Amino acid sequence: MKKEVITVIVPCYNEEESLPLFYEEIKKVALEFKEKNVKLELLFVDDGSKDHTLEIIKDFSKDKDVHYLSFSRNFGKEAAIYAGLSKANGDYITLMDADLQDPPKMLLEMYHYLKDEDYDTVGVRRKTRKGEPIIRSFFANMFYKIIAKISKTEMVPGARDFRLMKKQVVEAILSLEEYNRYSKGLFSFVGFKTKWLEYENVVRVAGKTKWNFWKLLVYAFDGIIAFSTAPLVIATFLGILFCLISFILILIIIFKTLIFGDPVSGWPSLVCIIFFVSGIQLFCLGISSAYLSKTYLEVKKRPVYIIKESDVN
Ligand code: UDP
Ligand code: MG
């Protein structure tokens, strides 16, 4: 029987501290897979790290089952995922963080669902966000609530990028050639039969998270813009609403003047109204500009990543 291959894609950005720990753990899992006649192949993607990440993964790649790609600069995790998926050629493909937040041991269970049951992909979601700042959890929960309401693409709360997929699913993801890649949405957009496994949140083994609050907020907005056009409808709706309000106000003023002969008064309220309405206008302009700017980046057709060196082709 042909030996099956699982490609493990590991995006790495300044992960010199966690990589040796990760490698040790994944090797243990590789041995367990070997007993099942499955080969675990590693593909490290160095996302323009400024520390010794590249040296470390080059050193790992002396092993014939370990490969690497290195970007010319930091292109972001989404780009690293895309590059990894494009270059992976296993029968099954998985994405894992280098910081052991995605427990490598879960791969065995995930593989079981794809192999013995009829699933095409297995995703992992956190049951709780223990160990995470409260404010971050609050906004994350809010994001999932909003996106569930305004997008047709389902985003599972707490879902991580950690997932095991059949080759066919990866090909579907790669067929989406957009520049603004929001993987959580893309995974769900392509469909296929998905099994969700739950686990307790694990904190990073070493090093620091690359995300701060601001970056997460921008990431959330990117997700909304990539997978919903509802904000544009909100802009239109606000426009119509304000036209109606002003129409009613005009009628009231005309009647008041005709019946009571009221002289026009109220400068302060007028100023407030002007400020309020121009605020709304700028807000709506901002919404359409957000879509315009994404379209602008999309039509330029710039590459999602640039490889400086690698041992795969
Ligand atoms: N990462 C990357 N490029 C970046 C930022 C992060 O390849 O620009 C990698 C990082 O090395 C890690 C994974 O993406 O393996 C997840 O990053 P992190 O642990 O900082 O995110 P968190 O788990 O806190 O969401
Ligand atoms: Mg992490």
Side-chain angles (χ1 to χ4, degrees):
M1 201 176 86
K2 191 184 149 271
K3 204 171 188 177
E4 282 185 316
V5 178
I6 300 180
T7 307
V8 182
I9 300 167
V10 192
C12 313
Y13 179 51
N14 296 343
E15 295 287 3
E16 60 179 7
E17 286 169 56
S18 32
L19 273 174
L21 300 164
F22 173 79
Y23 193 60
E24 204 176 299
E25 284 300 310
I26 198 84
K27 278 279 143 194
K28 285 185 205 156
V29 177
L31 279 180
E32 287 186 52
F33 270 114
K34 206 171 170 187
E35 283 166 21
K36 295 178 187 273
N37 201 27
V38 179
K39 185 170 90 171
L40 216 64
E41 206 178 60
L42 297 178
L43 176 58
F44 289 98
V45 184
D46 164 41
D47 184 12
S49 300
K50 293 181 183 73
D51 62 0
H52 297 102
T53 298
L54 181 57
E55 278 106 308
I56 295 171
I57 58 179
K58 269 180 155 171
D59 191 45
F60 292 161
S61 72
K62 285 178 189 149
D63 178 341
K64 66 171 186 9
D65 294 336
V66 180
H67 300 283
Y68 74 94
L69 297 172
S70 177
F71 288 173
S72 59
R73 65 168 169 86
N74 180 242
F75 280 88
K77 187 183 175 187
E78 296 292 343
I81 290 177
Y82 185 49
L85 293 178
S86 318
K87 304 287 175 186
N89 36 33
D91 306 294
Y92 301 94
I93 293 151
T94 182
L95 299 163
M96 286 180 100
D97 280 13
D99 56 9
L100 287 177
Q101 270 192 297
D102 304 325
K105 278 212 157 25
M106 286 188 87
L107 278 178
L108 293 154
E109 192 186 351
M110 292 160 99
Y111 173 73
H112 154 75
Y113 282 106
L114 296 193
K115 180 78 187 158
D116 308 323
E117 292 188 28
D118 194 26
Y119 289 103
D120 301 304
T121 162
V122 183
V124 165
R125 57 184 295 259
R126 294 186 279 192
K127 255 191 290 192
T128 56
R129 292 178 164 266
K130 231 168 42 200
E132 202 184 61
I134 295 169
I135 183 109
R136 188 165 153 173
S137 304
F138 171 77
F139 277 98
N141 290 334
M142 205 164 81
F143 166 74
Y144 285 112
K145 276 200 189 114
I146 293 175
I147 197 104
K149 287 224 162 62
I150 64 174
S151 174
K152 288 196 189 87
T153 309
E154 190 199 5
M155 311 240 182
V156 179
R160 295 194 51 90
D161 290 334
F162 181 29
R163 50 176 55 234
L164 185 65
M165 296 168 273
K166 285 188 177 159
K167 182 98 190 147
Q168 191 191 10
V169 179
V170 172
E171 275 160 10
I173 292 165
L174 291 173
S175 72
L176 309 173
E177 290 175 341
E178 56 210 80
Y179 177 79
N180 297 290
R181 303 190 72 80
Y182 193 77
S183 288
K184 279 191 208 315
L186 299 180
F187 293 145
S188 152
F189 179 89
V190 295
F192 292 98
K193 206 170 160 205
T194 308
K195 168 85 187 166
W196 287 100
L197 300 180
E198 292 196 338
Y199 82 122
E200 284 291 339
N201 190 25
V202 182
V203 286
R204 207 173 224 290
V205 278
K208 269 207 267 334
T209 172
K210 313 295 175 303
W211 295 90
N212 55 34
F213 185 73
W214 178 247
K215 272 195 186 163
L216 278 173
L217 200 68
V218 172
Y219 182 64
F221 278 122
D222 281 350
I224 289 174
I225 289 171
F227 281 92
S228 170
T229 46
L232 287 172
V233 180
I234 294 172
T236 315
F237 177 76
L238 280 177
I240 295 171
L241 182 73
F242 275 75
C243 283
L244 280 176
I245 292 175
S246 63
F247 187 68
I248 294 166
L249 283 177
I250 289 168
L251 287 182
I252 292 173
I253 287 168
I254 289 175
F255 279 113
K256 258 177 97 179
T257 317
L258 287 179
I259 296 167
F260 302 107
D262 242 4
V264 179
S265 64
W267 278 107
S269 56
L270 197 61
V271 170
C272 292
I273 290 167
I274 289 173
F275 267 82
F276 182 59
V277 174
S278 35
I280 295 284
Q281 279 176 348
L282 287 178
F283 173 71
C284 295
L285 195 64
I287 292 178
S288 15
S289 315
Y291 286 88
L292 180 67
S293 68
K294 292 290 173 199
T295 316
Y296 175 60
L297 292 173
E298 213 61 69
V299 292
K300 279 207 254 195
K301 289 220 171 300
R302 283 188 179 157
V304 176
Y305 59 89
I306 293 168
I307 293 177
K308 189 175 165 208
E309 56 177 303
S310 101
D311 68 347
V312 281
N313 39 41

